[in-house]
Structure formats: structure tokens, C-alpha cells
Amino acid sequence: MLATFGKKRNLSPMDSRYTPQDIEDKWYSAWEAAGAFKPQGQGKPFTMVIPPPNVTGALHMGHALNNTLQDVLIRWKRMQGYKTLWQPGTDHAGIATQSVVEKHLAKQGIKRQDLGREAFVEKVWEWKAEYGERIVGQLKKLGCSCDWSRLRFTMDEGLSRAVREVFVRLYEDGLIYQGHRLVNWCPKLQTALADEEVENKETQGYFWSIRYPFEDNPAEGIVVSTTRPETLFGDVAVAVNAEDERYRNLIGKNVLIPIINRPIPIIADEHADPTKGSGAVKITPAHDFNDFEVGKRHKLEPIICLDLKGNLNEQAGPYAGMYRFKAREKLVAELQEKGLLTEVEDRVIPIPTCYRSGDIIEPYLLNQWYVHMKPLAEPALQCVENGETRFVPERYTKTYRAWLEPFRDWCISRQLWWGHQIPAWYVVSETGGERRNETPVVVGRDAEEARRKAVAKFGPEAVLVQEEDVLDTWFSSALWPFSTLGWPDKTEDLDTFYPTDILSTARDIIYFWVARMIFSGLKFLGKPPFHTVYIHGTILDAKGQRMSKSKGNGIDPLEMIDQYGADAVRFALMTMTTEGQDIKLSPTKFETGRNFANKLWNAVRFVLPHAEAGQGEFSDKHLQLADKWILSRLNTVIREVTLSLEALRFADATQALYRFTWDDFCSSYLEIRKKSITQGEGDEKRNAVAVFKHVLERLIALLHPFMPYITEEIRHNLGDTDLLITSGWPEVDSSRIDTGIEREFSETFALVEAVRSVRGQYSISPAQAINVVATYTDPAQAERVGRQEAILRNLENIGELQLGSGLAKPKFSATQVLTGGEAHVPLEGILDPEQERRRLTKELERSRNFVETQKKKLGNEKFTANAPPEVVEAEREKLASQQEKAGKLEQALAGLE
RNA sequence: GGGCGUUUAGCUCAGUUGGUUUAGAGCAUCUGCCUUACAAGCAGAGGGUCGCAAGUUCAAAUCUUGCAACGCCCACCA
């Protein structure tokens, strides 16, 4: 797997600054050319499906985050030897795409109606051909290792066949039906919407109270309140509560609708709430969800008073043809004039708006197609309840349940042209009914099948007309995990890759998409489509607001990639991905990522001229303390990163890598071994370089899923000819993990830090050597540290060094207390006794406080009796070492001159 | 109104089952360094009563309850 380096090295002039732009495209092409993204080998499959972006969309930060996350997992699993498939594709995004094209045509003064359905759809396909590859190109820029040879589109032939198959089967199972009821109608887009496509926006509005005169006594009347007065033309009754004393005797009387003077009855219904408004409420079944129910209870025929564009119709008398809001304005004025407007109250009201167009929704009585949800939702709930599919973070299980449990039927028909035309045909004849829901219907996988069915049922004279509506976009997205693998055919791919493993997505489509994939997978394949749903956080701007085009506060990932490199962008995003938390983003985060890449690059640049010297593996007998230490740390990190990825803890993984690379590998190890690498001879040099390379090879492998480009480039700069992307994932060598070595190393490192601290306090130039007297209580410790003099001298400019036990403190020296000893730095002429006293006093105070709390804790019998013995023992040791430290600080203070 | 999340250093955030962290990181700040990998760097330093209150416990940033602020989702067009 990790080949040796040094062979056939093609030394490029490596700049001190890493420039990602030079190498990214090169390596991406190399991976593609090598077929590295295709499922390979005989390993266990690991599969993910990409959340298909809108075909005409552009990459935003949310995509960048989610797709980086998926790519990290796929690359990691691929290196681990799994037969990985990351299935890519795009979504036709019915409403969104149709709107984009319509807007585009509008600029040329063309309406879709001018073109007609066929020509318009043709235009959309052209649009798709032009812009459909854009988002794919952008995902490639980010480094996504999807198997692009399998790129699918929700409206391509295969997926459309899956859609028709599902529709027919659901229909045959009685799970799809037509219903004549109120739907959310968007007058602007001219289509029905599903409940979850409606957004309620709090808006400043009015609550108008209007008097409806009694039919037999027009001088008096009953007052009703409404926020939508223009709907009064569709009123069929006024309801009061039977318990309401004020109105009880009016029940059964008729009142007149103002302006048009149509009589309607006062009825008793529980919907009327005596505490709201006047307690009497107008009933408009054709334009209000609650009223629709009231109308049904009282068998009142709904009256439609609006047309589909939002204009009032002939029911509105003088207002016929007027746009709804214009009519509202005029109507209020007229009512006021007539003395029928009794009160106007300012009120914040939730206004339902269309999630695409933003237009105000009108509930409208129409015929639409529905999916009967209960039989589908129940197993889908069950499957999450029993853990077959789990959400990460787990709390989203609740969100999922809250959406599915009400079993609201799914309105799947859309009055659009762009989408899957519903595979249902109306059987019309001379005697055929006028209303569609009274017309016989046949469904079929294609026109021929429908025709066969119609002929069998209605005879050869039957004439078929296909339903014009298309299906909700999410109807096809729901099939994504299996339609992309060839279903309804029994394909090998389906066999190998279904069910997939992890689905990663944003929380706002848990219902739109995730839930629907789960019930579809269960219904048609008998297995949930994935075992884990990872819900990532939402990307926010630096102020914590959602990024949006209208606010103009978005950070463009492609600009960031341009500026900092894809690796930096990916790494930064992953460091911020802590379980499900929202991410406040500012470009400085990418700077940190870029700096990190640069750091790694320069470490490589340093060793490259010496790589030749480090042929082969190092030999154990030449290993020094620092070597053993870095090998111990390396294997610890391999373990940490692997476990973090398994737990989907991306920030933990990157943090471990960052720390190890920067602090351990560069700041400590490289600095210590620098001299051996550049100036050492024979075995010394060979071994130092070999260890360095051994660590580096594994480090770039660990970093590869996060920073694929730079790591691939490094591997090849080091002389490897095979690709890192398909090489192995490092394995932990537990025998190298040695806490004794790590302790011994930090013992030595502590002395370095002590000296550096004194140097820093007195601003002594690094060029000036300083003398050190280190004394330890235990002679064995002094000897151990003494053996590491090379480390001390490599990390600090030390002049005379005395190491021992019971050494006296030289005059005029600054003192640093160590575990088990002290370091004195003689500073005659430099030492500031006052400053020294202040520092030592402060430290002593802190130390004494700690000793106090420890004593109290250990003096508590309940503690010593109840806490586990090892905890008590640890606390005792803490006390002892702190007491020792306090003693030493006291001594140092006393000895100050 | 219901649900969920957040509140830890000036800023952005870690802190997994309560004890080995007398609270950690990055950025920012201050001091000294162009030390032949890196100034996108090196070394050092300062900075926090872990939102507030009560409780459980030998022990609470961590568990429970209440409160507050901020954010998200759902419901609510009388």
C-alpha cells in the first residue's frame, strides 16, 4: 500500500508558498482517467447517493459542506478497501426550473402559453442541456469523487420508468386517489402545492369587523370579523356557537351578504369561538380550510368567488374581474361608506405564501391527485423507531416523527408542464362526464397499457386523454436510492448497492425527501434505503443569519476555492462540523485551512532534498526517544481519526490531524530531528529521514479524505507513482503506542518549555545562548532527562547545561518549577527581582489554593469512602505533587536576590 | 401556543458515559524573533466565578428543575 519513496523523484521547484491552483485540476483528471471513482475490488460495498441538486442550480456553501462530508466518507471507505459507490445525479426540480425558464422567456416577451406545452418543454430541455453540467463541474472542483459515469437525472428515461411503475402500483394498491377538496393554490405559478410547500409568514395586517344585516330587519344585523373581507362573496352562512347566549336566539335567521345582498343562514357550529372577534364567523367553504369542514357538516354547497389567477369572479357582482387585493381595498372603503364596517383592528397575521414564488396562497377547491399516507407512513415510522434506520444527531428522529405522524395525505399533482406527466388517462366518450372526477380513469405504465385496460373495461370505442398534470418533484426524488440503480429491473447494481449506507442531508428536507425515500424503499424493496441519516448543520453568515440570495450575504464556495484552494475549504468546513450544530461562517476560517495546507507543504519541502537518503524502512535499533515518541503519537492519531470517522465526528478527526501535524510533527519532531536530517551522516541521517517519511506517508493518507489534492501531490513529489486515492488506509500498530515513552518525552519537553518561558519573559533574543541548571529530586529522572540533551539543544539555544540532583540555585537566576524538579536560569544583570517575585507569588497563590481544595476534598470522609479507590489515589497524588510545587515556589521566593 | 437547539476567553467554537482539564483550541491582542521548511512562520504572555437560581451527589461546565436571552421548526389567515 504505502510504497517507499525516493525512487525516480521528479523534483519540482517547490515554492515556499503552496499554490493549490497549480495542481487541483491535474489530479482530478488523473483520478478520473484511472477510473478511481468507480466501484472497485471485491470488498464489502459502501454506498451513498448524492442529494441531487437542482439541475439548473449553482453550488452554494450548503452543497459544499454536505458534499465534502460525503466525499470524506467515500474516500475513507475506498481507502479501507470497500467497494464504494457514490451515486451522483441531478433533480429536474419542477417548479424551480420551470420558473427559471419562464422568467428567461419573459425577458424576450414570450409566455409559455404562447409556445404551448410541447415547445415549452422542449425549451426547458434546451436549458437543461446548457446549464445542467454546471453544478457537476462545480462539484468536481470541490473534489467530489462521485462515479460520474453513472450520472442520472430524475427525468431521464430509466428514472421516468420507475416513476410510472410506482404510480401504477400505488394506484392499483388503492394508495393513490383523486380528491375534490381545498388545496393550497399559488395564483402566480398557477399550480397546487403540498402543505409543506407553504410557508407561513407573519405580516402586519388588519382584522375587519363587518355587519351583515338581517334579512327581515336590515337596520340591524350580526357582526363578523375577518382578515380577508373579499371572500365574503363566497359566504354560505354565518356560524355562531350554540352555547353563546348572545346569538342563541338568532340561529336559523337569515342575514344578507353586504353589497350583493344574497341571503345566508345563521347556523350553530362549534367552530365559532365566542372568545374570538365578535363570536360570529362567516363561513366560506370554498376558500378556507376550517370553513370547508363546517360546510361539509352542514351540507352547504361551497361557492367559489375567485378565479385561478386571484381575480374575483361573477359571484362578486360589481367586483367581478378585480384582483383580490385591489378588491379588498375597494370593498373595505365601500363597507365603511355604507356604515357596515364596525371596527378595524391592526393585527399581525400569519400569511401562507408559496415557498417558490412568495405569492400569497389561496385555498382553492379543486380536483387533485393524492397519496394515501397512513399505510406508507406507518412502516416508515416503525423502521426508525426500531433502529433499522437511525438519525444522527438522534434528536431528528423527533422531527421525522412529527412530520409523518399526522398522516396527512400527499397532494402529488402539479399544474406544471415540466415534470413527469401523470400516467393516468380519462376515458371520454360522447356521454362522458364534464367533471374530471366523474370521468372514468385508467392508469398505465404507458399509453398502450392504459388503452388495453380501457378497451377491456369500456370497449373498443373508448377514447383516452392523458391527465395534463405532472407529479410533484419529490415523487421522483423519493425513488432516488433505487431508481438510480436500475429499479424496477432486477439489476446487479441493485443487488450489490441497495440498501445504501449513509445519507447526508440538510434538516429542512427531512420530510420532503428523507421520509419519502424511507417509505418508498420499504414499500418497493422491502428494506429501508439506508441505515444512517446524517443531518448536518445549517451554514449561516458571520452574524448568524441564513445565507440567501436576497440578503446578499452568501459566501460563494467557488470564490473561496479560487482564493484558498479546495483542500483549505474542505478542511475548514470539516473542522466546523460538530454534530449537527449550525455553522457561523466567515472567510477567515478558510485562511486557517490554507495556512494548514501551507504548513504541511513546507514540511515536505524541507525533507524532499534528503528523501533519497531515507531509502527503506528505519531500523528499530537506531530509534531515538523522539522517533519512538512520534511513532507512538502517529499510531494514536491513526486510531483517533479512524474512530472519529466511524462516529461521524468530523471536527474531532480534523482537530486530531491538525494538532498532530502542526504541533507534534512539525513543531516538535521536525525541529528535533532537523539537524540529523540535514547534517547527519550514515545511519543517523538515513534513519531520521526514514522515520520522517514513514510518518509522513501515513499522515498524508489520513489527511487524504479531507485534503485530497495536496496529499496526492505530496505523494507523487515523494516519488510514488501509484495514486493515493486508491491506496490503503493506515492501520494502527498498537505495539508502537507507548505511554512510557510519551511520559519520558514530555519530561524532557517540559524543561525546554521552562527555558523558553524565561527567555520570553525577559525578551532574550533567540540568538543568545542561555545557561541552565536543572535539578531533580530523583537522580534517576535527572539521568533520564540528561540522556536527551540533544533534544534540549535542538529546541533551545542553551549554553552551559547542568543536570543533576540537589544542585544549588545559582545567584540571580529565574526559577521554573517542574514536576519533580526545578530549572534555574542564571540571569545576572538581566533578572528583575520584582517581576520575578510577582510571578512566583502569583503562581504560589494558585498552588496554595489548589492544595487547600485538595486537602478539603481528601479530608472529607464521604469522599474517601465513596469514590472509587483509583480516583482517591489520583487526588492524593495531585495533592502531593502540588504540595511539592508550593514548597519549591516558597524556596525560590526566599532565595530571590 | 407546541417542539427543538444554543448560551464556556474580545470573536468563533471543543469539552463523548459526572472525577486525570485547579476549564481547552483557532482567530484576535501584547512581547521578542526575517533561527538556511514555512512571516500564510517561530517562541513566549495575558485573558474565563462555564447565562442566572435552586437541587441531586463525596464530587457538577457535565445530571434534574425553574427562569432569562437568542435562534430554528410546527400550529394559528375567523
Side-chain angles (χ1 to χ4, degrees), chain A residues 252-307:
Chain A
K253 268 177 95 104
N254 275 356
V255 291
L256 297 173
I257 296 175
I259 317 289
I260 53 172
N261 294 321
R262 175 156 54 77
I264 52 172
I266 295 174
I267 58 171
D269 192 279
E270 69 223 23
H271 170 59
D273 182 344
T275 65
K276 283 187 185 170
S278 65
V281 56
K282 64 198 255 333
I283 302 298
T284 325
H287 299 289
D288 181 282
F289 287 96
N290 285 315
D291 294 1
F292 184 72
E293 296 304 315
V294 177
K296 268 208 297 205
R297 279 200 285 275
H298 295 269
K299 300 200 165 54
L300 297 164
E301 194 61 30
I303 294 175
I304 296 170
C305 67
L306 285 164
D307 69 14

Side-chain angles (χ1 to χ4, degrees), chain A residues 146-251:
Chain A
C146 304
D147 182 357
W148 298 111
S149 69
R150 294 167 182 257
L151 184 71
R152 300 307 297 267
F153 177 53
T154 47
M155 268 173 68
D156 68 26
E157 187 37 46
L159 271 61
S160 300
R161 193 157 68 91
V163 163
R164 293 193 297 269
E165 179 73 24
V166 163
F167 186 93
V168 171
R169 286 210 210 164
L170 288 175
Y171 185 85
E172 283 169 352
D173 288 351
L175 296 177
I176 282 182
Y177 64 93
Q178 280 185 289
H180 189 68
R181 62 177 72 157
L182 280 187
V183 295
N184 304 293
W185 181 261
C186 174
K188 190 159 179 193
L189 299 174
Q190 294 281 296
T191 182
L193 298 170
D195 293 343
E196 63 281 357
E197 290 174 315
V198 176
E199 283 173 357
N200 286 310
K201 288 200 177 138
E202 302 246 298
T203 314
Q204 189 55 245
Y206 301 96
F207 194 47
W208 286 283
S209 295
I210 303 163
R211 195 176 69 226
Y212 284 31
F214 296 126
E215 188 174 27
D216 54 8
N217 178 13
E220 287 181 40
I222 190 164
V223 173
V224 300
S225 303
T226 180
T227 57
R228 294 189 303 159
E230 72 281 6
T231 61
L232 64 76
F233 301 113
D235 287 356
V236 298
V238 168
V240 297
N241 197 294
E243 308 292 310
D244 195 333
E245 299 289 344
R246 294 172 293 177
Y247 302 120
R248 195 177 283 171
N249 56 344
L250 299 178
I251 296 166

Side-chain angles (χ1 to χ4, degrees), chain A residues 163 166-168 170-171 175-179 183 191-197 367-373 376 408-416 420-423 467 469-476 478 516 519:
Chain A
V163 163
V166 163
F167 186 93
V168 171
L170 288 175
Y171 185 85
L175 296 177
I176 282 182
Y177 64 93
Q178 280 185 289
V183 295
T191 182
L193 298 170
D195 293 343
E196 63 281 357
E197 290 174 315
N367 218 57
Q368 299 288 338
W369 292 86
Y370 291 88
V371 172
H372 185 37
M373 281 304 298
L376 293 167
R408 282 182 301 197
D409 285 356
W410 175 18
C411 175
I412 51 170
S413 44
R414 297 287 180 279
Q415 289 65 52
L416 303 172
H420 300 99
Q421 197 170 348
I422 293 178
E467 167 65 86
D469 291 356
V470 301
L471 289 163
D472 180 4
T473 291
W474 299 102
F475 194 91
S476 53
R516 286 167 183 164
F519 69 63

Side-chain angles (χ1 to χ4, degrees), chain A residues 620-631:
Chain A
D620 262 278
K621 69 172 187 230
H622 290 117
L623 290 186
Q624 300 184 359
L625 177 68
D627 300 323
K628 290 182 191 162
W629 172 76
I630 198 69
L631 290 170

